[in-house]
Every structure is written in C-alpha cells, then in structure tokens.
C-alpha cells in the first residue's frame, strides 16, 4: 500500500467511492475474450479500449480484450496486481464546456507477454469467440523481418500476427468464417493495406501453403484506420484515492475512423453503435484530410509565431488577442473553406475547427510549441503546402493569415 491507499483491483472495488469514479459491474468478469490487442500503450487503453468498455456497460458488445505485450521492455506486473483494471480520467473542453469524468475501465481481461507466454497466446487463436485484432506497437513498426512464424515469438508485429492467423487457420481447418477483423492503429498511411502486403509477402517468403495464403487474403478483413485522441500515461498519484500505476488521462475529443464497406465488419464491430465518433465508412480519406489540414497544419502554422512571441505552450496561445484572432482566421476563413474542393462539407470543416480550438485550449495538457516545431520544414511540406492549390483555385490574392497580416480586425 502507498500512504495507506489500497491498490486498484476487483477485490478493492467495494472500498472505492462510486461518486468519485464510475465503477464497473462484476458481471463484466464473465464476458468472453473477443479481441486480441497487440500493445499495452496509453493510446489503445484510452481510445479503443474505452469504447469497448463503455459498449460492454451498455450491453452492446459483450466481449473483453486479451492484450499482448509485444516488447521485452517493462513487465506485466502492474496489470496482474490490478486485475488489468485502470482509471481513465477525461478532462478538457467539449463544445466549449469544461468536461471532467472518471471511470475504472474493465475492458482488458488479461495481459500476456509475447516473450514469455507466446504459446499461451497462440492457444487463444483456437477460440471461436475471438473475432477482432487491434494493434498499436512501437516494437519495429509495421515492417517485415527475418525469422519465421515458428519462432517463439516471431520478431516483428507482422510476423506475430501471421503466426496467430496460421494457428487459427490450422485449428479451424481453413474455415472461411473464422477470419478476423484486423485493425492496425499505427499512424502510417493505409496502415492495414501495408500490414496485409507484408503478411502476404512473408507467406511467400516462408513458402506457406497456397490455401493458407488464400485464407489470409479472403477470410480476413484488413481495415485501414485513423485514431485521434491525446492520451497521457502519467497521472499524479496524489490525485487518486487509491493506488493505480496504470491510470491515464485523455482529452474529451475522440475519433476512430475505420475503413470498410463489409457488413461482416459492421456486425463484428458492434461497439461502434455506442458512439458517433466511431466511423465505419468505405473510405477514411476525408477524416485524414480534415485532421492533417485543420489540426496538424494549424499547429505548424502557429508554432513559429508562438515561439517568436515568447509563448511556451499551446493553451497560452489564446491569451494573446492578436494570436487568438490569427488562429481563427486560418481555421475558419482560409484552411476550412479551401477543403471544400475535396468534398468536405462546410459544416464538417467548421465543426472540426471548433474542436481544434477546444483541444488547443485544454488546461490539463501542456503541449510545448518547441516540440511541435521539430522537423518544421518537412511538416510545412506535407501539412501546409498541399492546401495552397485549393486556395488558389478559389482566389487570386494570397491568404491573409500570414505574419504580415496579423491584426485584430480578423475577429
């Protein structure tokens, strides 16, 4: 115990004040493992695992998550001591309103180490209830590797997933209904398509049977996805009435865009009915474009001015009237309207622009402009320059949201 505080666990839940934090129901313990998740990081626990936990509480999904710790860094001890329970604090602004919520998340059933428990992980591939695979790992990224699927464990994420699929394929005798919905959340373009190509290449390199290659290609659903939520894996221990070394804090904003037009995917991802911020759509390009231009490009366009103005973090940007007007000018009058040529609606651009302001002003986050300025030139090239053809397709004069045009008349 720390300062006479109890450690968060199923046994200690009755001792926790339910008016301070939302407590999960014991009935969640009996739910089957329907998801295998590669990665224990804060983003996964603060976004997909949050959705699944809340869907379980609503009686929508009814399944828990087996988490694979893919790297040999750290241990699974905290998860074991806390029965994989953890606190999610949500703090910030949403629609201009201050939001604070707390919940004990019970979405994770257990955490297994790929380095020490690989054979036990492979046994779960035999479960008919396992339907979804999610990943977000920093081990080596979505890349190929040397070694084979018979290594214990295989080296790369792709090889681990291939070994898992092979175990499932053999156990279910190539049953086409036993494929998985596979959703990588790594922040690379077309993440699922890249992962699938690597897996199929590994199949050929390792001379796996043609029937298995066909099963991988046709029985499984590789879905490109985009995740967007700031999640921090550090919560001050003194702010909690119990010991929780897994506690995380997230902003209210959340988005999980998943690319698929399959009815099978829609049915298996039933938790999507919980929250409109989960988008299962045939093409997620629109969501990537909105985020890249209105959030990321705005970050880049503001960081130089903030640093030159002596402003250290993002939330302080709005305390200067001129800079406040500047960011609203580029969001609502320049970048947003320019995106209409891509098929994005005015209402969509304006709505996202308002969320950008809410996110930038979050008093619980401390984003340093100097960190955002890293690789500034390449960010200008990828985030900002592609907007200019849209702008000049509508205007003769250059955008006014430039350092020479910084004037309060914007507002």
């Amino acid at each position: 115990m720390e300062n006479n505080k109890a450690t968060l666990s199923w046994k200690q839940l009755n001792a926790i004040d339910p008016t301070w934090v939302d407590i999960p129901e014991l009935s969640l313990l009996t739910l089957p493992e329907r998801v295998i998740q590669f990665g224990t990081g804060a983003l996964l626990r603060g976004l997909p695992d949050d959705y699944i936990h809340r869907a379980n509480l609503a009686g929508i999904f009814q399944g828990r998550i087996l988490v694979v710790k893919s790297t040999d860094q750290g241990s699974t001890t905290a998860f074991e001591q806390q029965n994989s329970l953890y606190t999610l604090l949500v703090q910030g602004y949403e629609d201009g309103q201050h939001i604070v919520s707390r919940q004990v998340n019970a979405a994770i059933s257990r955490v297994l180490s790929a380095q020490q428990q690989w054979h036990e992980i492979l046994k779960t591939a035999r479960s008919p209830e396992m339907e979804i695979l999610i990943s977000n790992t920093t081990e080596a990224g979505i890349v190929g590797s040397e070694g084979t699927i018979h290594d214990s464990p295989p080296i790369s994420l792709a090889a681990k997933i291939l070994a898992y699929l092979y175990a499932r394929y053999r156990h279910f005798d190539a049953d086409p209904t036993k494929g998985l919905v596979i959703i990588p959340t790594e922040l690379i373009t077309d993440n699922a398509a890249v992962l699938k190509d690597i897996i199929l290449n590994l199949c050929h390199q390792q001379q796996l049977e043609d029937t298995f290659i066909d099963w991988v290609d046709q029985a499984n659903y590789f879905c490109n996805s985009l995740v967007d939520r700031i999640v921090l894996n550090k919560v001050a221990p003194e702010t909690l009435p119990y010991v929780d070394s897994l506690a995380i804090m997230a902003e209210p904003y959340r988005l999980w865009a998943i690319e698929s037009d399959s009815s099978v995917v829609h049915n298996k991802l039933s938790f999507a009915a919980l929250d409109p911020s989960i988008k299962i759509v045939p093409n997620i390009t629109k969501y990537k474009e909105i985020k890249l231009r209105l959030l990321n490009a705005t970050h880049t366009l503001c960081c130089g001015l903030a640093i030159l103005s002596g402003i250290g973090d993002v939330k302080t940007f709005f305390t200067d009237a001129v800079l406040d007007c500047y960011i609203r000018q580029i969001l609502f009058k320049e970048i947003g309207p320019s995106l209409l040529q891509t098929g994005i609606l005015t209402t969509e651009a304006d709505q996202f622009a308002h969320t950008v302001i809410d996110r930038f002003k979050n008093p619980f986050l401390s984003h340093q402009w100097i960190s955002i300025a890293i690789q500034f030139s390449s960010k200008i090239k990828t985030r900002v320059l592609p907007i200019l053809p849209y702008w000049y397709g509508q205007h003769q004069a250059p955008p006014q949201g430039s350092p020479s045009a910084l004037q309060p008349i914007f507002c």
Side-chain angles (χ1 to χ4, degrees), residues 61-358:
F61 183 62
Q62 300 298 281
R64 299 180 79 197
I65 305 165
L66 164 66
V67 172
V68 177
K69 188 179 182 303
S70 298
T71 69
D72 56 3
Q73 297 177 354
S75 71
T76 61
T77 301
F79 288 96
E80 294 164 2
Q81 292 176 339
Q82 296 183 195
N83 304 131
S84 298
L85 297 174
Y86 62 91
T87 308
L88 172 62
L89 306 177
V90 178
Q91 302 180 107
Y93 287 105
E94 188 171 47
D95 296 328
Q97 301 298 311
H98 187 203
I99 300 293
V100 177
S101 69
R102 310 177 188 94
Q103 69 174 24
V104 172
N105 187 297
I108 298 174
S109 58
R110 52 185 173 148
V111 177
L112 299 179
S113 167
Q115 301 299 320
Q116 301 171 11
Q117 299 168 293
W118 184 242
H119 290 295
E120 187 173 349
I121 291 167
L122 288 182
K123 286 180 183 178
T124 68
R126 305 172 189 171
S127 169
E129 294 172 313
M130 191 67 75
E131 296 181 317
I132 302 163
L133 187 152
I134 303 170
S135 75
N136 191 305
T137 175
T138 59
E139 51 172 333
I142 300 181
V143 296
S145 70
E146 298 178 354
T148 76
I149 62 170
H150 304 295
D151 295 334
S152 184
I155 299 172
S156 72
L157 170 66
K160 287 182 177 70
I161 293 175
L162 176 58
Y164 194 85
L165 292 177
Y166 193 67
R168 191 169 180 84
Y169 159 83
R170 295 192 66 180
H171 179 76
F172 290 108
D173 195 24
D175 185 338
T177 68
K178 293 300 187 288
L180 301 177
V181 176
I182 299 171
I183 315 173
T185 64
E186 287 80 359
L187 294 176
I188 65 171
T189 301
D190 297 329
N191 43 25
V194 172
L195 176 63
K196 183 176 182 179
D197 284 344
I198 293 172
I199 286 176
L200 292 175
N201 286 334
L202 287 173
C203 288
H204 292 292
Q205 291 172 16
Q206 299 180 28
Q207 299 182 337
L208 301 176
E209 54 264 46
D210 290 341
T211 51
F212 171 64
I213 296 174
D214 290 340
W215 184 86
V216 169
D217 183 38
Q218 298 171 20
N220 297 272
Y221 300 84
F222 289 79
C223 304
N224 295 323
S225 80
L226 173 70
V227 291
D228 189 9
R229 191 179 209 181
I230 297 171
V231 186
L232 305 179
N233 61 3
K234 296 293 182 182
V235 174
E238 62 271 15
T239 64
L240 302 175
Y242 45 81
V243 176
D244 181 0
S245 59
L246 300 173
I248 55 177
M249 192 275 278
E251 63 177 339
Y253 180 82
R254 59 209 175 272
L255 171 70
W256 193 9
I258 301 168
E259 191 169 270
S260 179
D261 58 3
S262 167
S263 60
V264 174
V265 171
H266 278 265
N267 290 336
K268 291 183 184 296
L269 304 185
S270 56
F271 56 78
L274 169 80
D275 193 317
S277 65
I278 306 175
K279 315 284 187 182
I280 305 178
V281 293
N283 192 308
I284 64 172
T285 300
K286 174 173 69 174
Y287 300 101
K288 292 191 290 186
E289 187 72 5
I290 289 177
K291 177 180 181 290
L292 185 62
R293 308 307 172 200
L294 284 170
L295 178 67
N296 301 135
T298 302
H299 256 147
T300 301
L301 287 167
C302 290
C303 69
L305 295 172
I307 293 169
L308 291 173
S309 301
I311 296 175
D313 60 14
V314 173
K315 59 179 176 285
T316 309
F317 197 87
F318 294 90
T319 62
D320 185 293
V322 175
L323 296 181
D324 184 24
C325 291
Y326 167 71
I327 193 172
R328 296 174 191 275
Q329 165 76 10
I330 61 175
L331 279 171
F332 292 101
K333 298 183 180 180
E334 296 181 2
I335 298 178
S338 298
L339 296 180
L340 302 185
Q341 296 178 58
T342 68
I344 294 169
L345 302 177
T346 300
T347 53
E348 293 173 321
D350 285 351
Q351 181 181 22
F352 192 85
H354 282 293
T355 69
V356 168
I357 293 175
D358 281 344

